[in-house]
Amino acid sequence: MSFKRDRMFYKFSMYGFLKNLRFFDPFMVLFFREAGLSFFAIGALYAIRDISTNILEIPTGIYADMFGRRKSMIMAFVSYIISFAIFYFFSNYYFFALAMVFFAFGEAFRSGTHKALILEYLRINHMEDVKVDYYGHTRGASQFGSAISSLIAAALVFYSGSYHYIFIASVIPYVLDLINLSTYPKELDGEIGKVEKGTLKKQMKATLKDFVMIFKNFEAMKVVLNSSSFSAFFKVSKEYLQPILKAFAISLPLFLAVDNIKRTSLIVGIVYFVIYLLTSYASRNSAKISKRFKNLPAAVNITYFIGAVFIALAGISVNYKIQVLAILLLLVLYVLQNLRRPMNVSLISEKISHKTMASGLSVESQITTILMAIFAPLMGIVADKIGIGWALALFGTFMLLMGGFVKVKEVK
């Protein structure tokens, strides 16, 4: 490793590990389907979450820049915990929507903020030259947390025979992460404004000005659009892995003595464990792999087009009932996303001032949520009408076409 593993490195890694102990992640769509929701209704819930996140991005970004990134992270985790509790105690669609809004509060307070904390730490300690490697390793810890989470979640579903308990169980690691965040040094808050009478409006205008300036930087916006569009396509497409895994699990002549939920939990748990082990490895080695390309923009462009082709091929595989191939293709899509993420963060950080990094990275998150809010219901309609396979195939083709518009300018 080219950087020191000091105390903050382990705190950052612990944050990611605990944050990704979301036991509901591998079963969220299956939870909604068991509740009787159509793919369109599920897509609408995701749209509610994403639109709410989008609306809250600017005020929560300002909050982080004014009152400190650490306080913003604490607000995020409190919102998440409330969301988990609602999902556990209620089964009504409107309560699901309310839980999604609280989850959106968490996403809005968190998005870009923790990355800004890491980048601020690297800037203070003159370690900016290793940001891809450093961030990749901390993200690797997050993905390892997801791998462990999938096994624990599978065990919870198998022994309880229900998806409900995975929500209340997710509260425990989030409380532990709140404690971890409270120990972060104050200096990582960056340059924040003093909250005095009459200065709030002025500070909001200054922060919004910095926020708007990002949109005027064409090169920065190309990088942001490339990253956010890939993330949106990935996040919407990956949700269909769960019903594909369920169909695959039910078709297997194994575990016939247990019901479909328990059979599915075993397959889902194993597959997601493998996925997150691979994505953890990909994140930790993102810097090494990016060096195999002539430059970072080339790596970002090539992986974008590979991702689009794989989504389309996954859909075709489902149509021809080759579920194993579809699962493998979507698995590789997870790896691509986690290879790309440290690369994108590095490229974006080169175009945005460290003083407004929390707001700057929120721009990327905001565009992602806008695209997801559009794509999720539309893909749900297609999946309900003509099937998951066609939805993925059409979606991948559209992503391929969009790739020409978001291609990042390569360094000569």
Side-chain angles (χ1 to χ4, degrees), residues 181 187 381:
L181 286 165
E187 63 184 11
I381 292 172

Side-chain angles (χ1 to χ4, degrees), residues 29 44 61 89 93 122 180 299 308 310 345 390:
V29 173
F89 288 108
Y93 186 85
L122 296 178
N180 179 45
F310 277 24
V345 170
W390 280 109

